[in-house]
Amino acid sequence: MTNESMPLKIAESENVLLIRSMVRQFCEREIVPDMMKWDETQEFPAEVFKKLGGLGLMGVLVPEQYGGSGFGYAEYITAIVEISKTDGSIGLSLAAHNSLCTNHILLFGSEEQKRNYLPRLASGEWLGAWGLTESNTGSDSGNMRTTAVRDGSYYILNGAKNFITHGRSGDVAVVLARTGPVGVSGNISAFIVDRGTPGFTAGKKENKLGMRASETAEIIFNECRIPESQLIGKEGDGFKQAMKVLDGGRISIASLALGIATGAYEAALKYSKERHQFNQPISSFQGISFKLADMATKIEAARLLTYRAGDLKDRGCEVTRESAMAKLFASETAVEVANDGVQIFGGYGYTKDFPAEKYYRDAKLCTIGEGTSEIQKLVISRSILK
């Protein structure tokens, strides 16, 4: 049976309903009171992620045998959406930890690596980072400059990665490095590098437009010596591993975007009913009501695409095209909905006294991170034309 002929299953299970309720209560208690302070100061609230670990949300997809919650993508998407409705920054960090670093080890790590790292990542004791992007090689990862040179039973890493979520605060990073000539197929390998390893340091922290409470920083390797036991899988398999990891990562960003879009829409809908002009709520004007109709329709389409990709992933199907479609549509929807949300709020939408401006700033990252919208179109077009 092909993906096209497989029915979508998104009936909400008891687990999904419980997670949604739990996350909403957590957000009201632990995020809402301080989120604008974190945004203004770019403070990364590490303690929030320890608490999320206590709720089982730092290892949603990790099997129970490795200390995780053992859930599927329906539960995972729901958690990311609900967090991101409140604060995209927290949603982004939660997504990066789960779908990149943790998931890379889960999918491709040895049994020893899984038992060593997954329980600490899933519990929130450790925070994970994932290093692929470099200053001169974003989408062009085949030409990365970070190298890993074998020296006996060790590898020596040299180079730098940028735009890394948790680049400073992460306790462990999965890093992609070149183990062969530039531009040659099969020349990239993946390694687990612990914080504190000599030669592994953090660099510049980025000053960002949005997602300001999610830490983004450079990581640097200078004669960083790690044992060969830190290699994930076989030498040269890193790029193939990364592409599989990004299939799940795109579902994560779609979920993040869906949450931001939903939050922006709900805030605008509420405001449109409360704000009166000419002795009636502005929601009664066609110019506003049609905006709300468009917003709601796009969000529902993004929701279906995202949960469909997650459903296929849970069933072990190939999801490269579906995850790219979900990521592309949901992220562009988030930008459009957040923009319309600011417009509905009018002048107040441009102030920090109302939530519209933060959704607007946070949404844009979704069209860039883990593959730009243009790259998603490339992935989709290759799939439908082959």
Side-chain angles (χ1 to χ4, degrees), residues 73 76 99 103 243-253 313 319 323 370:
Y73 269 83
Y76 176 60
S99 70
N103 202 38
M243 293 304 99
K244 291 295 183 182
V245 168
L246 286 174
D247 281 346
R250 287 166 181 153
I251 297 173
S252 295
I253 299 299
K313 193 82 166 65
V319 296
S323 65
E370 297 193 35

Side-chain angles (χ1 to χ4, degrees), residues 81 84-86 257-269 299 337 345 355 359:
V81 168
S84 304
K85 279 170 60 176
T86 298
L258 177 58
I260 292 170
T262 304
Y265 163 72
E266 290 180 354
L269 178 63
I299 288 170
V337 168
F345 272 86
Y359 289 121

Side-chain angles (χ1 to χ4, degrees), residues 194-333:
D194 294 350
R195 181 70 66 187
T197 302
F200 175 25
T201 58
K204 174 188 175 185
K205 179 180 177 180
E206 302 297 340
N207 184 8
K208 299 178 296 183
L209 167 72
M211 304 290 196
R212 289 167 60 84
S214 178
E215 179 188 275
T216 306
E218 183 182 35
I219 57 176
I220 301 168
F221 302 95
N222 182 15
E223 297 296 308
C224 179
R225 189 179 180 87
I226 59 172
E228 63 182 357
S229 60
Q230 298 303 95
L231 172 69
I232 302 178
K234 297 178 181 178
E235 187 174 300
D237 282 352
F239 185 77
K240 291 186 290 184
Q241 294 173 6
M243 293 304 99
K244 291 295 183 182
V245 168
L246 286 174
D247 281 346
R250 287 166 181 153
I251 297 173
S252 295
I253 299 299
S255 306
L256 172 67
L258 177 58
I260 292 170
T262 304
Y265 163 72
E266 290 180 354
L269 178 63
K270 181 174 182 289
Y271 181 81
S272 73
K273 294 177 179 178
E274 296 171 348
R275 172 71 168 171
H276 283 67
Q277 293 285 275
F278 306 102
N279 299 316
Q280 55 188 312
I282 62 172
S283 59
S284 66
F285 299 120
Q286 189 177 84
I288 301 298
S289 64
F290 277 19
K291 277 189 187 298
L292 292 167
D294 284 340
M295 293 160 81
T297 302
K298 290 173 184 175
I299 288 170
E300 183 62 14
R303 186 182 79 89
L304 292 169
L305 280 169
T306 302
Y307 275 94
R308 172 173 169 75
D311 180 53
L312 291 171
K313 193 82 166 65
D314 277 339
R315 291 197 253 175
C317 299
E318 175 67 41
V319 296
T320 299
R321 179 175 62 182
E322 287 78 8
S323 65
M325 286 178 169
K327 198 268 189 189
L328 170 65
F329 189 83
S331 62
E332 293 293 342
T333 291

Side-chain angles (χ1 to χ4, degrees), residues 36 40 271 345 347-358:
M36 291 311 295
E40 291 287 336
Y271 181 81
F345 272 86
Y348 291 113
Y350 207 67
T351 73
K352 291 183 180 292
D353 294 328
F354 289 84
E357 64 86 29
K358 186 174 184 302

Side-chain angles (χ1 to χ4, degrees), residues 71-277:
F71 289 135
Y73 269 83
E75 292 85 358
Y76 176 60
I77 291 167
T78 299
I80 299 297
V81 168
E82 290 303 320
I83 290 277
S84 304
K85 279 170 60 176
T86 298
D87 189 347
S89 294
I90 306 302
L92 172 60
S93 277
L94 184 65
H97 170 90
N98 272 280
S99 70
L100 297 180
C101 177
T102 303
N103 202 38
H104 198 138
I105 297 171
L106 175 63
L107 290 177
F108 301 107
S110 66
E111 186 63 25
E112 182 180 358
Q113 289 169 341
K114 291 178 184 179
R115 293 196 180 280
N116 187 28
Y117 288 100
L118 291 180
R120 285 183 280 190
L121 289 165
S123 68
E125 176 189 350
W126 276 17
L127 189 67
W130 194 73
L132 175 64
T133 301
E134 298 179 4
S135 59
N136 293 317
T137 56
S139 301
D140 183 19
S141 56
N143 282 312
M144 67 173 57
R145 297 299 187 231
T146 299
T147 59
V149 177
R150 182 180 279 276
D151 180 22
S153 59
Y154 289 83
Y155 285 90
I156 300 175
L157 273 63
N158 283 287
K161 303 287 183 178
N162 71 337
F163 299 140
I164 306 304
T165 305
H166 313 140
R168 287 188 174 184
S169 297
D171 298 284
V172 62
V174 171
V175 180
L176 284 298
R178 189 164 49 80
T179 47
V182 173
V184 176
S185 178
N187 71 343
I188 295 172
S189 303
F191 301 88
I192 305 173
V193 188
D194 294 350
R195 181 70 66 187
T197 302
F200 175 25
T201 58
K204 174 188 175 185
K205 179 180 177 180
E206 302 297 340
N207 184 8
K208 299 178 296 183
L209 167 72
M211 304 290 196
R212 289 167 60 84
S214 178
E215 179 188 275
T216 306
E218 183 182 35
I219 57 176
I220 301 168
F221 302 95
N222 182 15
E223 297 296 308
C224 179
R225 189 179 180 87
I226 59 172
E228 63 182 357
S229 60
Q230 298 303 95
L231 172 69
I232 302 178
K234 297 178 181 178
E235 187 174 300
D237 282 352
F239 185 77
K240 291 186 290 184
Q241 294 173 6
M243 293 304 99
K244 291 295 183 182
V245 168
L246 286 174
D247 281 346
R250 287 166 181 153
I251 297 173
S252 295
I253 299 299
S255 306
L256 172 67
L258 177 58
I260 292 170
T262 304
Y265 163 72
E266 290 180 354
L269 178 63
K270 181 174 182 289
Y271 181 81
S272 73
K273 294 177 179 178
E274 296 171 348
R275 172 71 168 171
H276 283 67
Q277 293 285 275

